[in-house]
Amino acid sequence: MNEGMLRGKTALITGSVQGIGLAIAKTLAAQGARIGVHGLANAEQADAAVAEIKAAGAPEARFFDADMRDPDAIDQMMSEMESWGGADILVNNAGIQKTGSMADLSRETWDMILAVNLSGAFHTMRRALPKMAERGYGRVVNIASVHGLVASKDKSPYVASKFGLVGMSRVAALEYASVGSRETGGVTVNCICPGWTETAIIEPQIVARGEQLGVGCTEAIADLLSEKQPSLRTSKPEEIGQAILWLANPIAHNITGISLPIDGGWTAQ
């Protein structure tokens, strides 16, 4: 892959002050992209993320604090992005999860998870994609989940949001498939579907499994993996970043509408 291949490009990564989002931001920064950093963070956390991303190679990095539950706040963020030059690459990574049975989960939980995981991505995409089309190059990568491809118990709003994200991404891929050219790189829309990945979002499940079995963190993780992920290995956030970097390459102009599992064989079963 060409060094510095994203020089002159700007990427907006939602939920990028920690975890997978921060790893993605640093990966794209290392290839010369300017980075729009986003997340719910205090000033100290935001400054630390921006500094880390600049240290990774970003010529510029700027923090945005839009609440992904609020369409007006997202519109404001996207307007600010356009004033900053616009997003050539949009990664919708912001996401939340709460587990529980359908009988136990509240309607407020349902509304919140769908708002962040699905509607928030719609509101960024509807603003970013027309501008990408004007330039003849654009990349939208939505971080879905294996739960955008298969279901699990006690995750109804999360699974619904991720299945919806996969479906919406396919629609957008079709709508923009003919934009641009091989030379410009085209406009593509894809999903990454991670399995068990080393992030904070899985910690409550690890704790719950440990309490259920009366074991420590390592044993709880091993039990979770044995249930779903045949590789018996978690993925690191940096590995998700590398997949997105590959999709951002202009050579990937004809790869659109896919949902790429990074799941150790989970969805192959």
Side-chain angles (χ1 to χ4, degrees), residues 31-74:
Q31 291 294 326
R34 298 193 312 161
I35 305 294
V37 187
H38 165 270
L40 295 178
N42 60 36
E44 183 179 356
Q45 293 167 329
D47 289 345
V50 167
E52 197 170 337
I53 290 163
K54 285 182 176 177
E60 293 181 71
R62 177 179 171 182
F63 178 72
F64 300 87
D65 63 353
D67 186 336
M68 297 304 287
R69 298 169 296 181
D70 183 351
D72 291 334
I74 296 171

Side-chain angles (χ1 to χ4, degrees), residues 75-98:
D75 265 345
Q76 178 64 31
M77 175 175 70
M78 298 309 292
S79 293
E80 292 173 6
M81 277 298 302
E82 289 168 15
S83 298
W84 199 42
D88 302 289
I89 300 164
L90 169 65
V91 181
N92 281 304
N93 169 73
I96 55 175
Q97 179 179 181
K98 183 175 181 180

